[in-house]
Amino acid sequence: MIDAEGGTAGEPRAPRRRRPARVAALLAAVLAVLLVAAVAVTALAFPSVAATTCPGCYGLERLRPGLYAEPGLSPERRRQVIEVAERAGRRVSDFYGGRESSPDVLVCLSDDCYRRIGGGGERGVAVLNRAVMLSPRGADPVIASHELSHVELHARLGDGEVPQWFDEGLAVLVSEDPRYLGPAGDRCRAEPRPVLPATLKDWLRAASADPGVYAEAACRVSRWAGAGRGPRAVRDLVERLSAGESFAEVTGITAPAPPSRP
């Protein structure tokens, strides 16, 4: 005879095993709390990362897939933002013969919006090589294509590496930035120093002290590319670097050792 609990009548019931279920529920609750805490810490410490992950969470409006702007823009301003993104995308695509990256682009036309999403004093910035943020001073095709160039280069490089000065100089070349490149011939506006900053940390320090370092990097890259086949030389370089060759092997460019101190 079976009772309602599944035991045999007259026999002691086996103890119920609820501990594993309780432990699993507790672990799930702890993980949920840790996840919420991690999201909160990221939003506070790295708002730009959080904003590019969830633009809508920061009040940005989706204008089209992959393009976000602050809300309340007039139809004319919305069209301008879309045109900026389209022209910048074409510059990158024309240079590389297509695009392998598709970063989200976040555009702010007010300082309050840009501060809210974690921006600083820069015109624009590439975030984790997967998104681009543009400030009110950077919502134009030149700055947009400069930042998109960074994302496209790293998407194509994979595990390959280039010195930071090359990354920045190439972005100037792709964007056709007239501040740092002349219109034709030897396009250099400044002769490059013997040793250009090779790491991001050194680059940021140098650029903060002298923005003219962009012109120096652009000069070196444009001369190297001009001696080859222009954009085709860059594409060949990226392919070989992504296959495991080193920058110095492919380009023949080696940074001179800094002068020794007395």
Side-chain angles (χ1 to χ4, degrees):
M1 178 178 176
I2 306 298
D3 68 7
E5 296 292 331
T8 303
E11 295 180 359
R13 297 176 182 175
R16 298 178 182 177
R17 297 183 177 179
R18 295 182 178 178
R19 187 177 300 275
R22 290 176 180 174
V23 172
L26 179 61
L27 287 175
V30 170
L31 289 174
V33 170
L34 291 175
L35 179 60
V36 170
V39 171
V41 168
T42 299
L44 290 173
F46 307 103
S48 59
V49 175
T52 54
T53 301
C54 181
C57 300
Y58 283 74
L60 298 183
E61 180 182 1
R62 182 173 178 262
L63 302 188
R64 68 177 190 181
L67 178 61
Y68 301 84
E70 60 185 291
L73 299 181
S74 67
E76 181 181 1
R77 298 302 294 276
R78 289 166 62 96
R79 285 193 297 271
Q80 289 174 349
V81 170
I82 292 172
E83 183 181 1
V84 164
E86 289 178 344
R87 290 177 61 187
R90 283 197 299 271
R91 287 191 185 187
V92 175
S93 181
D94 289 347
F95 188 93
Y96 280 101
R99 290 178 65 185
E100 295 185 6
S101 64
S102 54
D104 285 345
V105 178
L106 282 58
V107 183
C108 281
L109 298 182
S110 71
D111 291 332
D112 286 343
C113 167
Y114 198 59
R115 282 193 296 268
R116 187 169 61 250
I117 65 174
E122 70 281 345
R123 294 175 183 268
V125 63
V127 181
L128 299 180
N129 294 316
R130 68 184 184 192
V132 165
M133 296 185 350
L134 300 176
S135 76
R137 298 182 302 119
D140 64 66
V142 171
I143 303 302
S145 55
H146 180 112
E147 301 305 333
L148 289 175
S149 172
H150 289 313
V151 179
E152 181 68 20
L153 173 63
H154 287 274
R156 291 171 176 263
L157 275 176
D159 293 330
E161 295 182 352
V162 297
Q164 192 65 32
W165 64 262
F166 186 90
D167 195 342
E168 298 293 345
L170 178 60
V172 172
L173 186 62
V174 172
S175 65
E176 293 287 338
D177 194 328
R179 296 174 299 169
Y180 306 125
L181 277 177
D186 183 9
R187 306 183 65 186
C188 296
R189 294 195 181 277
E191 285 296 320
R193 65 196 70 181
V195 180
L196 286 166
T199 68
L200 178 58
K201 180 180 178 180
D202 289 343
W203 178 267
L204 293 175
R205 184 186 299 113
S208 297
D210 178 15
V213 72
Y214 282 97
E216 297 177 40
C219 175
R220 183 164 291 174
V221 173
S222 66
R223 283 177 176 169
W224 170 82
R229 290 168 292 155
R232 181 67 256 181
V234 174
R235 294 194 291 269
D236 289 344
L237 166 67
V238 172
E239 290 175 5
R240 293 175 65 179
L241 294 179
S242 66
E245 295 186 62
S246 74
F247 180 80
E249 289 173 342
V250 179
T251 64
I253 299 175
T254 56
S260 59
R261 297 181 180 180

